[in-house]
Amino acid sequence: MTNNPPFVLQQFSDKQMDLLKEVGNIGSGHAATALSTLLNRKIEMKVPNVEFVTFEEMFDLAGGAENKIVGLFLRVDGEAAGNMFCLLSVDQAQIIAKEMLQQQGFPFEGLHHEMSKSLLQELGNILSGSYLAAIADLTNLSLYPTVPSISIDMAGAIISHGLLELSTASDVAIVVNTSLHEVDETSSIFNGDIILLLDSSSFSQLFQALDVRGKCETC
């Protein structure tokens, strides 16, 4: 069997990049709506920043390989398979965990407490579902996320876990920086990076679907 060649940033056309940025906008909107329902408060989004980075640059986004962070990791199966991360600073994870626990009437007892972990995993479900639904809406690809796992560790250890099977398949990560805040409030309830690492063969599927979408818009 012939291995697919690695993909690099230069292989994205301007149109494909624009459509992937649209994924970020739609996904953030879905996430804000879902979080509003979860917290019973109106949540708005800031326009997300979508970047296309190399694996090495991912560690810089997380504050360096030795920076302690909270990572939610899941596998995406289906027609564009890959791995997905949600990376949060420890401080940001504490903020959102407290908010979610308060809504359910529970005290915050630290990030390592099972209730905090469970609610952060639920947050991972919300965010991954929001962005994967946006991709599916734009491409008609079928995508199926697994249940997220949570780690509180150095960024190098968390990110490397998701790169073990991908390091030779691609050199590209799609990063959506997402910031959600309550209406009339300036501080973020959620601010973190959603990172999608596609398997090598999945880039072809995604590119083809995006090209079809782009052609349809010009018909």
Side-chain angles (χ1 to χ4, degrees), residues 4-5 8 14-15 30 51 54 56 62 64 75 94 106 118 120 124 126 145 151 153-154 159 165 173 175 177 182 190:
N4 291 302
V8 293
D14 289 342
K15 186 62 177 179
H30 290 340
E51 296 182 86
T54 64
E56 290 183 1
R75 177 71 185 167
Q94 289 175 334
F106 294 102
S118 177
L120 287 172
I126 290 172
S151 298
D153 204 341
M154 290 187 297
I159 294 173
E165 297 180 0
V175 181
N177 179 262
E182 192 172 359
F190 175 86

Side-chain angles (χ1 to χ4, degrees), residues 10-195:
Q10 288 78 8
Q11 288 180 264
F12 286 95
S13 70
D14 289 342
K15 186 62 177 179
Q16 289 164 341
M17 285 189 171
D18 287 342
L19 287 171
L20 285 172
K21 288 177 181 179
E22 188 176 347
V23 167
N25 285 318
I26 296 172
S28 293
H30 290 340
T33 300
L35 200 56
S36 293
T37 301
L38 184 67
L39 297 177
N40 197 28
R41 284 147 54 187
K42 189 172 181 181
I43 306 298
E44 293 182 335
M45 71 170 191
K46 293 181 180 178
V47 177
N49 181 44
V50 180
E51 296 182 86
F52 305 86
V53 303
T54 64
F55 290 162
E56 290 183 1
E57 291 171 328
M58 286 175 57
F59 295 99
D60 295 332
L61 286 173
E66 296 185 358
N67 185 41
K68 189 175 182 180
I69 62 170
V70 177
L72 296 157
F73 171 81
L74 59 95
R75 177 71 185 167
V76 180
D77 295 319
E79 294 178 294
N83 295 340
M84 181 176 271
F85 288 99
C86 173
L87 302 183
L88 297 166
S89 70
V90 171
D91 288 343
Q92 187 63 56
Q94 289 175 334
I95 290 172
I96 189 64
K98 287 179 181 177
E99 291 283 347
M100 296 172 75
L101 284 164
Q102 182 181 15
Q103 181 63 30
Q104 298 193 20
F106 294 102
F108 176 68
E109 300 182 50
L111 290 178
H112 290 278
H113 192 271
E114 285 305 311
M115 183 66 77
S116 294
K117 286 185 176 180
S118 177
L119 287 175
L120 287 172
Q121 284 179 302
E122 178 60 23
L123 176 67
N125 277 325
I126 290 172
L127 293 171
S128 62
S130 296
Y131 288 100
L132 292 178
I135 294 174
D137 288 345
L138 285 173
T139 64
N140 290 322
L141 295 174
S142 297
L143 304 171
Y144 308 102
T146 62
V147 176
S149 62
I150 183 171
S151 298
I152 304 171
D153 204 341
M154 290 187 297
I158 292 175
I159 294 173
S160 295
H161 175 70
L163 299 181
L164 290 177
E165 297 180 0
L166 292 169
S167 58
T168 59
S170 170
D171 190 37
V172 177
I174 302 168
V175 181
V176 183
N177 179 262
T178 303
S179 182
L180 306 174
H181 61 94
E182 192 172 359
V183 175
D184 298 327
E185 296 289 337
T186 56
S187 59
S188 297
I189 287 180
F190 175 86
N191 184 31
D193 290 317
I194 310 299
I195 301 177

